[in-house]
Amino acid sequence: MFDRTPGGFQLSNARIVTHDGIVEGGIAIEDGRIAEIGPSVAGEDVGGDVLIPGIVDIHTDHVEKHVIPRKSVQWNFDQALAAHDAVVIAGGTTTVFDSLCVGATMKNPERREILAPLIDALETRVRDGAFRADHLLHLRCEVSDPTTPALVDAVMGRGIVRLISVMDHTPGDRQSLDVSSWRRRMVETGEVADANADAALEALFERSRATSPVVRAYVAEAANAQGLTLMSHDDRSLDHVAMAKAEGTTVSEFPVTLEAARAAKEAGLTVVVGAPNYLRGGSQSGNVAVRELLAAGVVDALASDYVPSSPLYAAFALARDSELGIDLPAAVHMVATAPAVLAGLDDRGALEAGRRADIVRVQDDGARARVVSVWREGQRVY
């Protein structure tokens, strides 16, 4: 178990990334909180390394990849969660929203069975102080699955649940517009036999037409009743954004077109995009490139999506991307401050007096960033 006693220490000769810019000096921590930042603070010399706030990642699919590392292989929950936590903290993330699927399309139907026991295991490890990072839950609700409402009812009331998103992975509308490409991937990955693919697709379309509107409305109403932040996943059109706004959504997560991202921004929604998309130079699904959204000024926050370390690397890459004109404080805001704000976590996400001492020490030589140390509430965890 990790020591959760709020710690105290001082670091000096650092480049400290704050809201207002980069402060050259030191930082003092008392009782797990930031007490002072300034040029006169003396302490352990960090050799000019960069200090940023611990990253707040509102969406990572990675926990399920540890639990189901291969098709039809389910790993021990405790071991999978421990491995996931280690990967998360190594990437500079001190607050992570484990994004678990509620329901399924044709892929990974076992997610229905593992949801409740996996949350049990997660809550137990949180209660026991077994994690380095602070783990909360983001429920990704598949609206095309008729079992989703019952699953939502079974888990939504747990205190660890903070974020809810509604998503529809039925091809032809949102994330996967090209139905033939989606069909080919399903056959190649062994999710369905080629001879049965067309019939399976038609059954999925029919189920989605009958189920999605009802389930989406149910999830939105349940999230609003619980006072949870509601997010819309993979908005493609003006109609998608208008529907999300009417449902009480406050976040457009991973919009797949510039049109939708602009509309979401104009509607007052927080726009969250995937850091891997920016680092790769484009979308793996052929949708809008995050760089294009950044250039248009419609991005508020970045999340790791499927690569846990990507927010940290994206922040430093953005600061080196002269064409976009986003400096390091603004980039760090996108991966720490803005995600904390949208999740209602006003005690973290920035290096300033009074905030939690969630701190990441990074060596940056101008070409490559490397995490050296991580503190959570003043305790070193990496």
Side-chain angles (χ1 to χ4, degrees):
M1 301 304 132
F2 296 99
D3 186 358
R4 287 288 167 258
T5 304
F9 59 92
Q10 293 183 190
L11 303 174
S12 64
N13 190 20
R15 290 176 287 161
I16 305 165
V17 180
T18 71
H19 283 310
D20 301 322
I22 298 177
V23 176
E24 295 190 4
I27 184 168
I29 308 305
E30 296 177 2
D31 297 325
R33 298 272 172 168
I34 299 170
E36 183 183 357
I37 295 174
S40 62
V41 176
E44 178 188 347
D45 189 327
V46 298
D49 286 348
V50 179
L51 301 182
I52 67 170
I55 289 166
V56 178
D57 186 5
I58 67 161
H59 184 130
T60 176
D61 301 342
H62 215 251
V63 61
E64 289 176 343
K65 298 183 188 303
H66 283 285
V67 173
I68 307 173
R70 287 188 176 181
K71 184 175 174 60
S72 302
V73 174
Q74 182 175 308
W75 205 250
N76 174 275
F77 287 167
D78 284 343
Q79 294 173 10
L81 290 170
H84 167 61
D85 178 63
V87 171
V88 164
I89 207 71
T93 294
T94 53
T95 300
V96 60
F97 284 81
D98 297 325
S99 306
L100 302 185
C101 286
V102 182
T105 52
M106 288 164 58
K107 296 175 65 177
N108 304 119
E110 64 271 21
R111 286 168 167 166
R112 302 183 186 103
E113 284 70 42
I114 70 171
L115 180 66
L118 179 55
I119 295 176
D120 287 340
L122 183 63
E123 285 187 317
T124 298
R125 292 189 69 84
V126 168
R127 186 170 56 249
D128 291 345
F131 289 133
R132 295 172 172 86
D134 197 354
H135 287 253
L136 299 167
L137 271 184
H138 166 181
L139 299 180
R140 303 167 57 226
C141 301
E142 183 60 60
V143 300
S144 66
D145 188 343
T147 71
T148 294
L151 294 171
V152 165
D153 288 343
V155 300
M156 182 177 280
R158 301 197 188 199
I160 199 172
V161 175
R162 300 293 183 86
L163 302 177
I164 305 289
S165 62
V166 283
M167 60 185 189
D168 188 347
H169 283 113
T170 304
D173 187 20
R174 290 181 177 262
Q175 185 187 71
S176 302
L177 194 62
D178 189 332
V179 175
S180 61
S181 293
W182 192 88
R183 179 193 185 281
R184 183 175 61 255
R185 288 197 302 272
M186 292 294 288
V187 172
E188 289 173 350
T189 57
E191 299 292 340
V192 63
D194 188 33
N196 302 328
D198 291 335
L201 261 175
E202 185 52 44
L204 178 59
F205 290 144
E206 183 176 349
R207 188 183 82 179
S208 181
R209 285 191 292 268
T211 301
S212 294
V214 176
V215 173
R216 186 178 177 109
Y218 185 93
V219 173
E221 184 177 352
N224 290 328
Q226 290 278 346
L228 298 170
T229 298
L230 179 64
M231 306 189 290
S232 181
H233 197 68
D234 294 335
D235 294 327
R236 179 173 290 278
S237 66
L238 299 181
D239 286 343
H240 287 163
V241 175
M243 177 171 60
K245 184 71 174 178
E247 291 167 339
T249 292
T250 58
V251 180
S252 178
E253 187 186 34
F254 306 156
V256 297
T257 64
L258 177 57
E259 177 188 50
R262 279 183 170 148
K265 189 75 171 174
E266 290 169 1
L269 305 184
T270 299
V271 177
V272 177
V273 300
N277 181 312
Y278 170 69
L279 291 169
R280 293 182 68 252
S283 164
Q284 65 170 10
S285 304
N287 295 314
V288 68
V290 161
R291 197 172 192 284
E292 183 178 350
L293 301 181
L294 288 162
V298 296
V299 174
D300 295 300
L302 288 90
S304 74
D305 196 2
Y306 57 93
V307 181
S309 60
S310 60
L312 180 130
Y313 293 131
F316 281 84
L318 278 169
R320 292 190 285 270
D321 193 334
S322 58
E323 293 182 2
L324 289 175
I326 298 172
D327 62 13
L328 186 58
V332 167
H333 182 92
M334 290 182 182
V335 300
T337 314
V341 170
L342 78 82
L345 302 174
D346 59 4
D347 62 342
R348 67 197 77 179
L351 297 185
E352 63 180 26
R355 299 258 189 164
R356 266 177 40 161
D358 294 353
I359 303 170
V360 183
R361 176 183 172 185
V362 181
Q363 284 183 351
D364 177 35
D365 62 7
R368 175 177 175 267
R370 181 178 72 87
V371 174
V372 178
S373 309
V374 180
W375 293 265
R376 174 184 159 200
E377 294 187 87
Q379 289 290 346
R380 186 168 176 175
V381 291
Y382 180 82

